[in-house]
Amino acid sequence: MNEAYFLDSRLRMEAEGYQLGPDGKPGMIPDPNPDPAKRNPKGLFHRNGGLVAMRRVELAEDNRMFRIASSKDLKWGGLPNLLNSPWWMEEDRMRLLLDRARTAGVRLSEMARRQLALPVAEGWTDADIIVSVHIRRGIVIAAHAGPGRTAAAGDDLRIIAPEAPHLFMDQLYVPGLGKPGGDRAKGMANASAWFDTGTAKSFDPAARGFNPA
């Protein structure tokens, strides 16, 4: 259903963590190399978060999808509004995340920040609500998949070790959700068309049973 979005190079760049401007072009930052002879005078493309080691996966009705979100976004349209994001996990990854939180003895929301590279600072996520939903029957959607990249916001740095991606959590970027081409209304329409909204549920990650006693 979203093949055209999947092939959109701008959305792929967004999935890879490139910071895009209103014109759709990636922003630049100064090259931090201390050696002037090796420093690129034009700077470097600005990347923050996103995915590495990406591959294509196809998702259908037998996939229950999960994402970590901010409950404050409920005020913009209730639970359906939280479905309109490109960032998701499959159920097996959600179970793995929960298992790792219990094993480490840390709260589920904190393990999500560690494993998914989710800074606390505004503009990322409060990580105070879990959303789940099934894909509609007969719908197949493509997604970019892979472990997250290190992300930073303010003084909060969430490091994903590149030498050990198997220790971390696969994430999914579903092109066509969110604000494709800056059009949030289009993303909302796609979320309604691709997800079975009647199966949408939300959970409190601080609830008993999700966290160590």
Side-chain angles (χ1 to χ4, degrees):
M1 296 298 296
N2 67 333
E3 189 68 14
Y5 291 112
F6 186 85
L7 297 175
D8 187 314
S9 60
R10 181 185 184 280
L11 294 179
R12 182 183 175 99
M13 291 180 72
E14 183 175 271
E16 293 178 320
Y18 289 96
Q19 303 301 291
L20 305 179
D23 58 359
K25 297 180 179 179
M28 304 290 289
I29 58 174
D31 186 343
N33 195 315
D35 184 346
K38 298 180 179 178
R39 189 182 306 147
N40 185 344
K42 296 182 180 180
L44 304 173
F45 288 123
H46 186 196
R47 298 180 73 180
N48 191 14
L51 301 177
V52 295
M54 293 198 304
R55 64 190 183 283
R56 176 188 174 109
V57 298
E58 294 185 353
L59 308 161
E61 61 193 79
D62 56 339
N63 293 96
R64 186 163 189 88
M65 310 292 288
F66 287 82
R67 64 178 300 258
I68 309 294
S70 296
S71 62
K72 65 184 180 184
D73 291 335
L74 290 169
K75 65 183 179 181
W76 303 113
L79 192 55
N81 184 58
L82 297 187
L83 303 181
N84 184 30
S85 169
W87 298 103
W88 291 88
M89 294 182 293
E90 293 180 84
E91 184 171 7
D92 64 336
R93 299 306 185 196
M94 187 65 220
R95 292 182 182 276
L96 181 58
L97 187 68
L98 179 57
D99 181 64
R100 289 181 177 180
R102 289 170 172 166
T103 299
V106 301
R107 299 188 71 80
L108 178 57
S109 58
E110 175 56 27
M111 184 55 68
R113 292 193 185 281
R114 295 181 188 180
Q115 299 278 282
L116 305 176
L118 303 175
V120 176
E122 185 177 354
W124 286 80
T125 179
D126 292 334
D128 63 349
I129 190 171
I130 301 170
V131 180
S132 73
V133 69
H134 273 293
I135 296 171
R136 285 189 184 276
R137 180 172 296 181
I139 298 293
V140 177
I141 53 179
H144 298 291
R149 297 181 71 257
T150 294
D155 296 328
D156 189 14
L157 179 67
R158 299 287 165 165
I159 297 174
I160 299 293
E163 68 275 10
H166 61 283
L167 296 178
F168 296 91
M169 196 70 55
D170 262 3
Q171 300 180 58
L172 301 176
Y173 178 96
V174 180
L177 298 177
K179 297 186 290 184
D183 189 344
R184 183 167 183 79
K186 185 62 176 178
M188 286 294 293
N190 289 337
S192 296
W194 300 345
F195 291 137
D196 182 352
T197 56
T199 67
K201 297 180 181 179
S202 64
F203 308 89
D204 181 357
R208 195 170 195 171
F210 284 148
N211 299 283

